[in-house]
Amino acid sequence: MVGTEARRRVRWEYKTKVRGLNPEETQKEFTRIQWRQFDGGIFSLFPPPGIKEEGDANGVGCVRIVPFEQLPIMEEEILDVTPGEEIVYTVNKGPFPVYYHRGYVTFEPTGSNSTLVKWAVEVEPYPYCETILKYLVMWIFTSGLQGLKNGARKPKKDN
């Protein structure tokens, strides 16, 4: 019977190492590059997302329109921020085929001024959407992490 499938929560995670930045610096660069500017990777093809709500000093409550303001397909909101450790966000509205969505971006020190960035999502996909959603998320996250890795501003060294 169509539509009687049980909801199933899945989690997908992708990661990269950012060299030359500690977790706090890397988190700031993630916010700048991926949340506010869409710099790097496939995101460079789009204008920056529109910011509908700024949120607090840490970014909690910040709502962005993606892919950009003139084409408001989705809205995403930062739900929680632990400075230098984690950003938690969700999709508020748009044609994202899920019943539930939580995104997690974590920043872990790896020694010698490097950070391991893990970008994960937990979703309950609509029936028959899991496979296409998995590949869409993989494409977005791996491209975004590559953009972060390539575009992060390294602090200037004192001479």
Side-chain angles (χ1 to χ4, degrees):
M1 202 175 198
V2 175
T4 60
E5 299 81 13
R7 291 186 184 181
R8 183 173 101 94
R9 189 167 294 182
V10 294
R11 180 181 175 100
W12 301 305
E13 180 178 279
Y14 302 90
K15 53 190 166 186
T16 194
K17 189 180 227 181
V18 176
R19 299 183 192 284
L21 296 175
N22 65 36
E24 292 81 13
E25 295 164 335
T26 304
Q27 185 178 36
K28 286 178 185 173
E29 286 299 280
F30 178 88
T31 301
R32 179 184 69 82
I33 292 170
Q34 295 308 322
W35 189 264
R36 293 188 168 271
Q37 293 181 358
F38 273 173
D39 273 350
I42 191 67
F43 300 108
S44 297
L45 300 174
F46 299 104
I51 302 297
K52 185 175 178 180
E53 300 286 335
E54 279 295 330
D56 69 13
N58 287 326
V60 175
C62 182
V63 177
R64 71 177 184 167
I65 301 166
V66 291
F68 49 94
E69 204 163 5
Q70 293 77 13
L71 185 63
I73 292 177
M74 290 187 348
E75 283 186 10
E76 295 178 321
E77 179 178 2
I78 296 177
L79 301 175
D80 192 31
V81 174
T82 304
E85 294 180 20
E86 183 178 55
I87 298 171
V88 180
Y89 69 97
T90 192
V91 173
N92 280 344
K93 59 175 143 172
F96 207 59
V98 297
Y99 298 106
Y100 173 86
H101 174 283
R102 281 296 176 278
Y104 303 91
V105 186
T106 58
F107 307 89
E108 299 175 10
T110 59
S112 66
N113 211 28
S114 293
T115 302
L116 179 64
V117 181
K118 295 179 183 176
W119 195 348
V121 66
E122 285 182 5
V123 294
E124 288 179 11
Y126 290 168
Y128 310 108
C129 293
E130 184 175 334
T131 300
I132 189 71
L133 190 60
K134 180 179 181 178
Y135 286 106
L136 177 63
V137 166
M138 179 182 69
W139 179 63
I140 291 169
F141 285 15
T142 57
S143 182
L145 289 171
Q146 188 63 42
L148 173 65
K149 188 174 178 177
N150 294 339
R153 294 180 185 148
K154 308 297 191 272
K156 292 183 172 46
K157 295 185 181 194
D158 295 329
N159 291 333

